[in-house]
Amino acid sequence: MGKGGSLSEGVIKKILLSYTYVAIWIFLSFTVIVYNKYILDKKMYNWPFPISLTMIHMSFCAGLAFLLVRVFKLVEPITMTREVYLSSVVPIGALYSLSLWLSNSAYIYLSVSFIQMLKALMPVAVYSIGVSFKKETFKTDTMVNMLSISVGVAIAAYGEARFDTWGVILQLGAVVFEATRLVLIQILLTSKGITLNPITSLYYVAPCCLAFLLVPWIYVEYPTLRDTSSFHFDYVIFGTNSFCAFALNLAVFLLVGKTSALTMNVAGVVKDWLLIAFSWSVIKDTVTPINLVGYGLAFLGVAYYNHSKLQALKAKEAQKKVPPADEEANNRLLEAEGQGREEK
């Protein structure tokens, strides 16, 4: 074959690999969300202990990351001083633990489909907090876009058949803590030239999460678990659930590293609609027409926002005014805004 044929084969191979990465990420993200819902929901596995579940995830991920970094030495640790760890990693770990705790708690009260709709507010939270921390520039058209997303989510909430005020408060709190964490990653880590891959991120952050979750666990969930003599730890259920959570972290890194943050956002939209369909058809959650209209409006706002961010990144790259580190930070922020670690 000629040179043109070789190029065509290369392009086809790249496209197929990209679709493979997308499929793996969607599958794992979908699995973790539905699995967490299954464990926490009182009508299913009936183990409504979100702090304990989050601590199991963090223990598993921290232990596996330690083995990969320190024992098998498959991943090099990041050179980090105690000062940087205490001033940067610890506050990020605290916010991460709160985000995971609240988001997992929301599964007890809300349907999978409605939680995905509420997560559409992630760009609104990230942009608003970014403006507050002076990491984003206030723009009227962007704020109008944020308002359109908020209105769409409000319409979806109005049409929710199983609306639960406490569940909504928990999920919105998780969005705020996650958005703050993403902005602080930009300020405290990326600005210092520190980039953590999924393994090193879990190696440094997971122990912090465990420490911060231990205090509320002792007072909130431990007394109930201690008095529940009928419960026996199911190593298969919690082991496979924790492994899926760990694998999802790797899949995020693989997808963004091999494709782009934009690809992940588009894949996230596909995943959200699949989850809504699954929640309606299999779990038998009620999805109303008003739900769909509201989420559709929010989805259009999120899509436009991501498109605007992409165009801005392309413009800066063309002008060659953005240092590589800043461009990487923007791509990471774009990646995270569309997801918000739901996949907790």
Side-chain angles (χ1 to χ4, degrees), residues 76-96:
E76 288 292 329
I78 303 297
T79 302
M80 187 181 300
T81 64
R82 178 177 296 182
E83 180 184 358
V84 171
Y85 185 83
L86 293 175
S87 63
S88 301
V89 176
V90 170
I92 289 171
L95 290 168
Y96 194 28

Side-chain angles (χ1 to χ4, degrees), residues 232-291:
H232 299 284
F233 190 85
D234 191 326
Y235 288 95
V236 174
I237 291 291
F238 293 102
T240 53
N241 179 245
S242 298
F243 182 78
C244 287
F246 181 83
L248 179 59
N249 281 278
L250 300 184
V252 170
F253 180 73
L254 181 68
L255 179 61
V256 177
K258 299 297 183 180
T259 57
S260 68
L262 179 63
T263 301
M264 186 173 184
N265 277 345
V266 174
V269 172
V270 175
K271 179 209 69 178
D272 289 344
W273 284 111
L274 286 174
L275 278 167
I276 291 172
F278 180 86
S279 178
W280 170 74
S281 61
V282 178
I283 305 179
K284 302 303 180 183
D285 287 330
T286 302
V287 179
T288 67
I290 298 178
N291 276 149

Side-chain angles (χ1 to χ4, degrees), residues 126-142:
V126 171
Y127 178 73
S128 301
I129 294 170
V131 170
S132 301
F133 281 91
K134 297 182 179 179
K135 295 300 294 182
E136 292 275 359
T137 304
F138 178 86
K139 296 179 181 178
T140 303
D141 57 341
T142 304

Side-chain angles (χ1 to χ4, degrees), residues 315-337:
K316 289 179 181 179
E317 185 179 3
Q319 296 171 4
K320 296 183 179 180
K321 291 183 179 180
V322 176
D326 288 342
E327 185 177 343
E328 181 182 353
N330 283 333
N331 274 297
R332 286 178 178 274
L333 190 59
L334 177 62
E335 160 207 334
E337 284 169 355

